Amino acid sequence: MSLILVALSLTAILVAAIPTLQELAHAARSAEKLFDTISRELPSTLQAIRSTSLEITDLSDDVSESVKSANQVVRQVDQSIDVAKKQAQDIQINTRSLIVGFKAAWKTFARQAPIQPTNEQLPMSNQTELKLSESEIMRKENR
């Protein structure tokens, strides 16, 4: 009797294990297909990742060089602006100097005729001539 119970128990376990073993075989076949797909696709994917990495490295180098050249251009523009400011200041100073010079020249040329020297400022020989001319003027005024 115990032998029959053991046989029945083993049969029940075997009946219950058959679907599990079938699912396990199906999972093994699916895993095998997955591994085949991975072995076919993975090398090309890895190669694409490598080439993308190289392209990104090249692009980052290009961007770095572009940033350096842009930085140099900005420095040159700054220097040009500084030079232009300095030149504008020099022009402003020179213009002011020129205007002041023109004003002084204009005042010099526009000044009234110099005042006739008086008797005291003239030498003795010219004083007599001045007295004569003054007396002539007085005579003309009296007429």
Side-chain angles (χ1 to χ4, degrees), residues 72-122:
Q72 289 175 349
V73 168
V74 167
R75 283 187 193 142
Q76 289 175 349
V77 168
D78 283 343
Q79 289 174 352
S80 298
I81 288 173
D82 291 341
V83 167
K85 284 181 182 177
K86 175 76 170 122
Q87 289 175 346
Q89 289 172 349
D90 291 346
I91 289 172
Q92 187 176 16
I93 290 170
N94 290 339
T95 304
R96 285 182 188 161
S97 300
L98 186 65
I99 290 172
V100 168
F102 278 135
K103 284 182 180 179
W106 181 254
K107 285 181 183 178
T108 302
F109 289 124
R111 191 174 358 164
Q112 293 179 352
I115 300 172
Q116 293 291 329
T118 62
N119 280 339
E120 298 155 358
Q121 295 172 338
L122 289 175

Side-chain angles (χ1 to χ4, degrees), residues 9-136:
S9 297
L10 283 176
T11 305
I13 292 174
L14 198 59
V15 169
I18 288 176
T20 305
L21 291 174
Q22 285 175 346
E23 287 298 320
L24 189 59
H26 180 60
R29 275 187 249 119
S30 294
E32 185 179 356
K33 287 180 184 177
L34 176 66
F35 293 143
D36 285 342
T37 304
I38 288 174
S39 68
R40 272 186 269 124
E41 297 294 326
L42 190 61
S44 62
T45 303
L46 290 176
Q47 182 60 34
I49 290 172
R50 282 187 202 113
S51 65
T52 303
S53 172
L54 291 173
E55 289 173 1
I56 288 173
T57 302
D58 290 343
L59 286 175
S60 67
D61 290 343
D62 290 345
V63 167
S64 188
E65 288 175 16
S66 297
V67 167
K68 286 179 184 176
S69 67
N71 196 7
Q72 289 175 349
V73 168
V74 167
R75 283 187 193 142
Q76 289 175 349
V77 168
D78 283 343
Q79 289 174 352
S80 298
I81 288 173
D82 291 341
V83 167
K85 284 181 182 177
K86 175 76 170 122
Q87 289 175 346
Q89 289 172 349
D90 291 346
I91 289 172
Q92 187 176 16
I93 290 170
N94 290 339
T95 304
R96 285 182 188 161
S97 300
L98 186 65
I99 290 172
V100 168
F102 278 135
K103 284 182 180 179
W106 181 254
K107 285 181 183 178
T108 302
F109 289 124
R111 191 174 358 164
Q112 293 179 352
I115 300 172
Q116 293 291 329
T118 62
N119 280 339
E120 298 155 358
Q121 295 172 338
L122 289 175
M124 288 299 241
S125 62
N126 291 342
Q127 283 182 8
T128 56
E129 291 174 14
L130 184 62
K131 284 181 183 178
L132 290 177
S133 63
E134 283 178 1
S135 60
E136 288 175 7

